[in-house]
Amino acid sequence: MLLAKTAMVRQTYFFADFNCKVYALNANSGDLLWSKSVRTEAPNSVTGTVAYADGIVYVPLSSMEVSMGSQESYECCKGSGMVVAVNAEIGNEVWRHRVVQEEATAQTKSSTGVTKYGPSGAPVWSSPTVDEKRGLLYIGTGENNSYPTTNSSDALQALNLKTGELVWTYQATSGDAYVTGTFNEDGTKMEPCEHCPDPTGPDVDFGMAPVLTTNQDGKDVLIVGQKSGVAYSLDPDTGQLIWKKRLGRGGALGGIHWGIATDGKVAYVPISDWFAFGGDSEYPASPGLYALDVMSGEVLWKSVPDFSLCEGMPGCFTANSAAPTLIDGVVFAGNLDGHIRAHDVATGNVIWDYNTVQDYETVNGVKAHGGALDGPGPVIANGMVFINSGYGKFSQMGGNVLLAFEAK
């Protein structure tokens, strides 16, 4: 949910649900001001937070064809990721950017006679990043879901804030066509696999929102991480690569997932790699929290928890998948082992560690238990640290608790 002050000087909450309906609420009363559906293709969904700038709400659209394509009877795939800009006062559409510009056409038939379509995919999983100085909106895109692949998948794109016109594209990985069900649990390719793109891609989305920051030279740069296990720095004006740094093997559940924290000097990058199927086998799985010099991309330090903490615990993995949160002198990083750790920004040393995997008595009387820390990073405000614990997807440890810590 996003809180913004609109042109009518009214505090307004903007948010979208999974079914692509966008809402505006009066922040003081909770009254509904408007709601509009922005779905134009059946597989579209919203998985990222909306963004706001100068009277426009920007809505990222992902696509569920990545999982629908695993159904052998499904004519995969025709959809595309999108960004939709709507007027903040009334919800009317201003512009729409379809990441896959080409319309899907029939390509082949499966052995059971199901028509396969393409190109498709390139969902926008996360929130767009607004750059009002340049009048640009930055997005990260995901994999294609069928062949032929496009130059807009596994890419970073810059759009004109007012018109949605594509300004530049930087594609990090080409030829990545993927749907779920492509790999077995041991990481090998499923055989036979009628519904899978052939050859199948590694599934190395940009799943996080690009981070716009100013480096020590006073230059603006974009810092972003990919599920390939590679972190990038790009010129926001042109999309030209400044540096890239491989940190892990990457893959469908490897690499960088939810976000990076930075102060413009150092970027704090989490690497998952707990089950790095589809990743680059030339590189070892390297989970942990990394500190990178924003100017050069060089690794300043790496922190890896004790792998023995997960011994005998089903669904416990030692991996940093959740986005970190940075405050003065401390970076907080949640782990799939259920621990939240506060690291010294200069050394990476752990200065505070709390195991959330336990039962809790809650303020509302609901039975609660902690689990894997995944997804968004901790929220820190007014001397408090707020953490949600439990993430049962992908065979991880489930849970259902929101924890609040007081800074001492």
Side-chain angles (χ1 to χ4, degrees):
M1 182 178 290
L2 174 75
L3 176 63
K5 182 176 286 187
T6 66
M8 295 180 69
V9 197
R10 177 178 58 206
Q11 291 287 323
T12 307
Y13 285 119
F14 297 104
F15 63 96
D17 63 23
F18 186 76
N19 292 317
C20 304
K21 197 168 186 179
V22 186
Y23 302 83
L25 302 182
N26 184 303
N28 295 317
S29 66
D31 291 340
L32 178 66
L33 302 175
W34 56 260
S35 64
K36 294 287 178 72
S37 175
V38 295
R39 172 182 277 158
T40 54
E41 297 178 0
N44 284 148
S45 58
V46 174
T47 51
T49 305
V50 303
Y52 172 88
D54 194 23
I56 298 178
V57 179
Y58 301 94
V59 188
L61 297 187
S62 53
S63 172
M64 287 300 101
E65 283 193 308
V66 69
S67 56
M68 296 164 67
S70 64
Q71 305 165 21
E72 292 192 21
S73 61
Y74 182 71
E75 294 184 333
C76 184
C77 288
K78 301 177 184 179
S80 169
M82 301 184 193
V83 178
V84 185
V86 299
N87 181 285
E89 295 300 326
I90 56 177
N92 287 354
E93 184 173 318
V94 178
W95 55 255
R96 179 181 296 262
H97 169 69
R98 194 175 194 268
V99 178
V100 177
Q101 296 288 299
E102 307 91 338
E103 291 294 327
T105 58
Q107 301 292 323
T108 61
K109 283 186 179 291
S110 71
S111 61
T112 56
V114 177
T115 303
K116 301 299 182 180
Y117 290 81
S120 65
V124 183
W125 295 112
S126 60
S127 179
T129 299
V130 172
D131 183 350
E132 292 193 81
K133 182 169 76 173
R134 292 173 180 79
L136 297 177
L137 188 77
Y138 307 110
I139 60 172
T141 72
E143 74 294 312
N144 290 120
N145 299 138
S146 56
Y147 284 100
T149 56
T150 65
N151 65 4
S152 58
S153 62
D154 292 351
L156 299 167
Q157 294 193 324
L159 312 177
N160 183 291
L161 278 173
K162 297 300 184 184
T163 66
E165 178 186 1
L166 179 65
V167 177
W168 56 254
T169 294
Y170 174 85
Q171 184 174 45
T173 304
S174 61
D176 183 8
Y178 173 87
V179 295
T180 56
T182 299
F183 296 103
N184 295 306
E185 289 189 3
D186 62 0
T188 58
K189 185 179 175 183
M190 186 182 296
E191 298 288 357
C193 187
E194 282 287 341
H195 57 278
C196 299
D198 189 16
T200 188
D203 182 28
V204 286
D205 310 56
F206 282 102
M208 60 164 284
V211 178
L212 180 65
T213 189
T214 303
N215 68 18
Q216 289 174 281
D217 279 353
K219 296 180 180 179
D220 291 342
V221 293
L222 285 170
I223 306 294
V224 65
Q226 187 185 4
K227 284 168 58 181
S228 61
V230 179
Y232 300 83
S233 175
L234 301 179
D235 183 321
D237 290 296
T238 64
Q240 291 295 309
L241 179 69
I242 299 171
W243 55 255
K244 65 179 180 179
K245 185 70 174 181
R246 175 172 287 280
L247 300 173
R249 176 179 292 177
L253 290 177
I256 303 156
H257 290 174
W258 295 94
I260 287 173
T262 185
D263 58 3
K265 300 176 182 178
V266 179
Y268 301 93
V269 183
I271 293 290
S272 175
D273 276 10
W274 74 262
F275 186 30
F277 57 86
D280 193 328
S281 59
E282 291 186 13
Y283 299 90
S286 303
L289 180 68
Y290 293 72
L292 303 187
D293 184 292
V294 168
M295 293 290 294
S296 66
E298 292 305 306
V299 176
L300 302 175
W301 54 256
K302 174 187 176 182
S303 179
V304 181
D306 184 355
F307 284 81
S308 68
L309 293 174
C310 281
E311 290 180 2
M313 294 180 62
C316 182
F317 308 102
T318 301
N320 286 89
S321 175
T325 300
L326 177 65
I327 60 172
D328 235 3
V330 181
V331 57
F332 290 85
N335 196 284
L336 297 185
D337 64 9
H339 287 247
I340 177 69
R341 297 177 177 93
H343 299 261
D344 183 288
V345 295
T347 65
N349 292 339
V350 176
I351 55 180
W352 178 74
D353 185 334
Y354 182 83
N355 183 10
T356 69
V357 185
Q358 53 185 288
D359 294 321
Y360 296 92
E361 290 187 11
T362 63
V363 295
N364 57 340
V366 174
K367 193 173 182 179
H369 188 81
L373 301 185
D374 206 355
V379 173
I380 302 173
N382 300 323
M384 301 286 288
V385 180
F386 301 93
I387 301 162
N388 59 302
S389 178
Y391 198 96
K393 198 170 177 62
F394 309 121
S395 303
Q396 298 166 183
M397 293 185 294
N400 64 331
V401 66
L402 174 66
L403 302 172
F405 300 86
E406 184 177 7
K408 296 290 186 180

